Structures are given as structure tokens and as C-alpha cells.
Amino acid sequence: MLFTAFFGLISCSSKSQNTIAKNVNKENILIVYLSRTNNTKAVAEIIQQNVGGKLVALELQKPYPENYKATVQQVVDENANGYLPPLKTKIDSIEKYDVVFVGFPTWDMKMPPPMKSFLHQYDLSGKTIIPFNTNAGYGVGSGFETVRKLCPNSKVLEGFSTKGGIERDGVFFVMKGEKEKQAQDEVRKWLQKIGML
């Protein structure tokens, strides 16, 4: 009897986790990402290979400097002042998307200002928001917390984070070979866990 109850519990939980994948059309999935060294872009593409959806790269009206130190200083200033850089990227008919993946690197242990611009600019109320992140090995910082804060009327699912490049040390794109395979496996497991596969 205990076994039956336990089995029933497992069945229910796995059913509830699968509901998102079953109820969402691939046409209603949006994957928005910001990527400086293409590592976050690579994770966004792995997600798209698994769940479908429209892939959109965030671009700024005035791009950050090529110089790493200059960009770091600009981002520190933007965070200190609460500045939201204007986006060049425009997303038509945001209302048609039920699930929105938001991907970004960790900058200054925070969410980058351009992703904050996106979350301020578009009304994501009632949508399922799924954050993902790449970082230099120090973790996501306050990034996922910021997603929850800026999307108070959305359902925010557990995020995914993995180590990407370390631009400060001249290590740029790392999502190739073994690292790419590892990322593909980790992303797939995470998508299954959150009910997107």
C-alpha cells in the first residue's frame, strides 16, 4: 500500500512537470539572450535545438566598447546609476509568446544592464520566464533574483548556469569539443527537470 502511494506520488509529480512541454506550442517560445563572447549564444542555441522557439539576440543602439576594461567601467557606472541602455532589438507581438527564456552572462556579479532594459521594456505578465546564464566561474550572482524581481507577475522557473569564458584572462569562446557536449547534456537534464522536455 505504501509502495502504491509512493508510486502514485511519483506519477503525479512527473505528470505536473511535463505539463509545460505538452501545453506549449514551439511557436509560442521565445529565447532572448545577450552574449558578448558567444558562450551564452551557444547555450541559447542548445535550448532552441531541444525545445524549438524563436531565437533573438539583444543588441544595443550604442554597443559596448571592444575594450574589456572600458566595458567593465561602463557597466559599473550603469549599475550604480540604474541606467537602462536603449535596445536596437525590437520584438514584435510579445503577447503571442507563452514561454520566454532569458539568457545573459554575469557582469559585475549582476544581470547585465541590457537584459534589465529588455525586462523593463516588455510586459511579460502571465508568462513563464526561464533564466539561463554563463559566467567566469563565480556563479550567477544576483541575476536570477533580478529576473524574479523584474517579473513579479510571471511564473519564473529554476534557472540554468554554466561556466563560460573568462574575458578578463583572454579566454573567450569555450563552447566547443568536450565543453559543448557537457553543456548539451546539462541543458537537456535541466530542461527535463523543469518540465520543458
Side-chain angles (χ1 to χ4, degrees):
M1 191 159 172
L2 199 62
F3 174 75
T4 312
F6 180 69
F7 182 73
L9 199 67
I10 291 172
S11 305
C12 289
S13 66
S14 62
K15 273 180 198 161
S16 66
Q17 283 208 328
N18 287 333
T19 52
I20 301 172
K22 283 180 185 162
N23 295 336
V24 174
N25 184 322
K26 289 181 180 188
E27 303 298 312
N28 303 114
I29 297 173
L30 178 66
I31 305 165
V32 178
Y33 68 90
L34 176 74
S35 196
R36 184 168 161 95
T37 55
N38 289 327
N39 292 294
T40 309
K41 177 186 180 190
V43 174
E45 288 170 344
I46 294 169
I47 292 169
Q48 187 190 39
Q49 286 158 17
N50 281 280
V51 302
K54 182 179 170 106
L55 206 56
V56 175
L58 281 190
E59 292 180 50
L60 294 175
Q61 284 182 13
K62 186 182 175 196
Y64 284 108
E66 287 292 316
N67 181 277
Y68 172 73
K69 285 184 178 170
T71 294
V72 168
Q73 191 52 58
Q74 186 175 327
V75 168
V76 168
D77 293 344
E78 288 175 352
N79 283 332
N81 300 320
Y83 178 73
L84 299 174
L87 300 174
K88 182 178 168 186
T89 305
K90 303 277 181 253
I91 296 168
D92 297 325
S93 311
I94 193 90
E95 62 281 355
K96 79 174 187 177
Y97 298 104
D98 300 320
V99 174
V100 181
F101 285 86
V102 289
F104 51 88
T106 301
W107 288 359
D108 191 28
M109 292 311 289
K110 297 177 178 72
M111 173 188 283
M115 187 53 77
K116 289 182 202 164
S117 295
F118 168 76
L119 294 175
H120 275 278
Q121 191 172 327
Y122 293 95
D123 181 9
L124 303 178
S125 300
K127 301 184 188 301
T128 297
I129 310 300
I130 310 175
F132 63 99
N133 164 269
T134 61
N135 58 77
Y138 302 109
V140 73
S142 60
F144 291 170
E145 199 180 300
T146 302
V147 173
R148 285 189 288 274
K149 192 172 139 195
L150 296 180
C151 302
N153 302 314
S154 308
K155 180 180 180 182
V156 180
L157 300 191
E158 177 185 329
F160 172 81
S161 185
T162 190
K163 187 175 175 185
I166 309 172
E167 190 178 358
R168 180 198 63 206
D169 298 345
V171 179
F172 300 102
F173 186 69
V174 298
M175 295 290 170
K176 48 195 172 188
E178 279 306 308
K179 176 62 182 171
E180 184 185 20
K181 283 183 199 157
Q182 179 194 336
Q184 286 169 342
D185 290 344
E186 287 173 357
V187 167
R188 195 166 175 76
K189 282 176 190 161
W190 164 64
L191 290 171
Q192 285 171 334
K193 186 179 178 187
I194 63 172
M196 283 303 295
L197 272 186

